């Protein structure tokens, strides 16, 4: 993957690139700052970074780790899964999440996927708004999905016609 760059109005240039094993410490720190539960461990991050069926992307702005996303690809499946998308709490609302999401969609298309699916907490309205703005639609709800028992909305976006 080549590095993608975008300048946000009134904000620094944001670079989206493939994550490297050397990003591991920063990814774990971002995870711990971004989520209060359902956090990935260092071991999980290391496994995702080494996994050929996962694409881990990072967003860099003024600080080395402004955000990160993970997309999973399954053999013989035309649907990719956005497993995680996190933006540093101090940088939310600047469009970094939207840039990461667009990069995830581009990676899914590059791997010949027809769609991208994800789950989002039903009480995370900010994330839901981002996904709806990018053309995702609800395809169901999953009860007791998260560690704390919270339900999730399952969303999907068709990236090309079936």
């Amino acid at each position: 993957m080549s590095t993608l760059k975008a300048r946000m109005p009134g904000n620094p240039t944001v670079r989206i690139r493939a994550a490297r094993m050397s990003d591991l410490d920063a990814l774990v720190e971002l995870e711990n700052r971004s989520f209060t539960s359902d956090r990935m461990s260092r071991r999980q991050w290391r496994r995702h970074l080494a996994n050929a069926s996962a694409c881990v992307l990072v967003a860099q702005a003024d600080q080395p780790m402004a955000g990160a996303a993970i997309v999973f690809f399954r053999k013989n499946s035309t649907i990719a899964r956005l497993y995680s998308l996190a933006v540093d709490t101090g940088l939310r609302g600047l469009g970094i999440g939207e840039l990461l999401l667009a990069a995830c969609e581009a990676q899914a298309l590059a791997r010949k996927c027809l769609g991208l699916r994800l789950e989002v907490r039903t009480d995370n309205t900010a994330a839901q708004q981002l996904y709806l703005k990018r053309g995702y639609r609800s395809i169901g709800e999953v009860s007791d999905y998260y560690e704390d028992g919270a339900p999730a909305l399952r969303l999907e976006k068709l990236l090309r016609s079936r």
Side-chain angles (χ1 to χ4, degrees), residues 33-99:
R33 286 192 312 270
S34 299
F35 302 110
T36 57
S37 65
D38 294 280
R39 291 179 177 148
M40 281 184 283
S41 67
R42 179 180 193 78
R43 182 175 164 199
Q44 288 171 300
W45 274 109
R46 182 179 285 117
R47 189 173 65 238
H48 297 324
L49 287 166
N51 186 348
S53 64
C55 175
V56 181
L57 301 175
V58 297
Q60 294 179 300
D62 281 345
Q63 59 193 71
M65 193 64 56
I70 303 171
V71 181
F72 290 145
F73 302 95
R74 285 188 317 194
K75 197 173 192 172
N76 301 321
S77 177
T78 59
I79 304 295
R81 179 170 179 236
L82 178 64
Y83 182 68
S84 180
L85 191 148
V87 174
D88 189 275
T89 53
L91 299 172
R92 291 182 182 162
L94 300 177
I96 295 168
E98 189 166 0
L99 288 172

Side-chain angles (χ1 to χ4, degrees), residues 13-150:
T13 298
V14 177
R15 291 174 184 81
I16 308 291
R17 63 165 176 81
R20 301 180 286 260
M21 199 58 77
S22 60
D23 294 318
L24 183 58
D25 289 339
L27 287 164
V28 172
E29 289 172 17
L30 175 68
E31 182 81 8
N32 290 333
R33 286 192 312 270
S34 299
F35 302 110
T36 57
S37 65
D38 294 280
R39 291 179 177 148
M40 281 184 283
S41 67
R42 179 180 193 78
R43 182 175 164 199
Q44 288 171 300
W45 274 109
R46 182 179 285 117
R47 189 173 65 238
H48 297 324
L49 287 166
N51 186 348
S53 64
C55 175
V56 181
L57 301 175
V58 297
Q60 294 179 300
D62 281 345
Q63 59 193 71
M65 193 64 56
I70 303 171
V71 181
F72 290 145
F73 302 95
R74 285 188 317 194
K75 197 173 192 172
N76 301 321
S77 177
T78 59
I79 304 295
R81 179 170 179 236
L82 178 64
Y83 182 68
S84 180
L85 191 148
V87 174
D88 189 275
T89 53
L91 299 172
R92 291 182 182 162
L94 300 177
I96 295 168
E98 189 166 0
L99 288 172
L100 274 167
L101 187 55
C104 291
E105 292 168 4
Q107 288 298 303
L109 281 168
R111 293 199 191 199
K112 311 284 190 246
C113 290
L114 301 176
L116 185 59
R117 279 191 191 144
L118 61 95
E119 291 79 29
V120 61
R121 289 179 68 99
T122 56
D123 60 0
N124 189 344
T125 55
Q128 289 175 39
Q129 287 173 353
L130 166 65
Y131 299 129
L132 295 173
K133 177 181 174 183
R134 294 271 321 160
Y136 288 77
R137 64 180 179 84
S138 176
I139 59 169
E141 188 170 310
V142 184
S143 60
D144 197 31
Y145 184 80
Y146 290 97
E147 192 176 86
D148 63 0

